[in-house]
Amino acid sequence: MMHVYNIILKIQTSLTLLASCIEELDSAVSLNNEEEILECAYDLIATYRRIKNELELD
């Protein structure tokens, strides 16, 4: 049972991280800040890839 709980906790944490990156990107887009948009987009992609590897998703 603990194994399932740990998986759910990892997924929850991952979704929170992705949501945070998306909110930062949305804010940068709203401000029309090209440099910040590129930085946030890069962070979002890096976060997604890290999560994908951690959760062993294909």
Side-chain angles (χ1 to χ4, degrees), residues 17-33:
L17 282 171
L18 284 175
S20 176
C21 288
I22 291 168
E23 287 173 3
E24 289 178 22
L25 179 57
D26 185 52
S27 177
V29 169
S30 295
L31 296 173
N32 200 24
N33 183 336

Side-chain angles (χ1 to χ4, degrees), residues 2-4 9 11-13 36 38 43 52-53 56:
M2 191 60 156
H3 182 68
V4 172
L9 189 58
I11 292 171
Q12 180 184 20
T13 301
E36 187 74 16
L38 291 173
D43 288 346
K52 183 179 172 186
N53 288 336
E56 299 173 358

Side-chain angles (χ1 to χ4, degrees), residues 36-51:
E36 187 74 16
I37 291 169
L38 291 173
E39 185 178 317
C40 289
Y42 177 80
D43 288 346
L44 178 60
I45 292 167
T47 300
Y48 168 76
R49 287 181 177 160
R50 188 178 74 247
I51 290 168

